[in-house]
Amino acid sequence: MTYYADLTPYTYDSDNWDPGAPGPRRGVAVLNAGWLDRGRSYPQGSPPPGLVETLKRMTRTHRAQQTRGFHLCPWCASRRSSRRPGRPEGSAEIRVIGRGVAYAAPELIAHYVEAHDYLPPAEFMEAVLSSEVAA
């Protein structure tokens, strides 16, 4: 997976969403969140209550940009050499609507928060927790 700094403009793939799917509309900026890489530091901390659970739900309700391949968690993958059931992997993105912007995050973002203490930007967490899927 490619690394992108948090809150930078999304440039990974063209935006070809189904207009009925959750996601940004024309003219809304799309920003990156959670595009981590093993060789780069990232903000760490305790997530607010409900963040991990909501991100996990969003991997079912807010999916976008499905790819044919898959990406393994760079930290867990370094400890194991092959693809196995139960190993964290992703093949899509999630999109979250915020205040005047949308965020694009890899499907593995919930795993990064839960297992590797990644603390996403406050604006992204606010958008996730104020979404219709938040508990």
Side-chain angles (χ1 to χ4, degrees), residues 51-103:
L51 183 68
V52 171
E53 294 77 15
T54 303
L55 287 170
K56 286 179 180 179
R57 279 194 293 281
M58 286 182 160
T59 64
R60 294 184 302 275
T61 62
H62 287 63
R63 288 174 66 92
Q65 308 298 74
Q66 178 67 52
T67 64
R68 290 183 182 204
F70 63 93
H71 174 77
L72 299 173
C73 169
W75 293 276
C76 294
S78 68
R79 294 188 297 245
R80 302 174 196 139
S81 61
S82 65
R83 186 176 182 198
R84 289 194 290 254
R87 185 167 173 192
E89 62 181 56
S91 63
E93 300 172 10
I94 63 169
R95 299 289 171 95
V96 181
I97 303 298
R99 293 182 186 173
V101 300
Y103 301 96

Side-chain angles (χ1 to χ4, degrees), residues 2-3 5 9 20-21 26-27 46 54 58 71 105 114 127-129:
T2 304
Y3 168 82
R26 290 198 185 277
S46 298
T54 303
M58 286 182 160
H71 174 77
E114 184 174 45
V128 169
L129 293 171

Side-chain angles (χ1 to χ4, degrees), residues 7 14 32 40 44 53 57 77 84 87 102 108 119 125 130 132 134:
L7 304 181
S14 62
N32 294 306
R40 303 204 185 225
Q44 293 183 298
E53 294 77 15
R57 279 194 293 281
R84 289 194 290 254
R87 185 167 173 192
L108 282 173
L119 190 62
M125 293 189 292
S130 65
E132 71 278 1

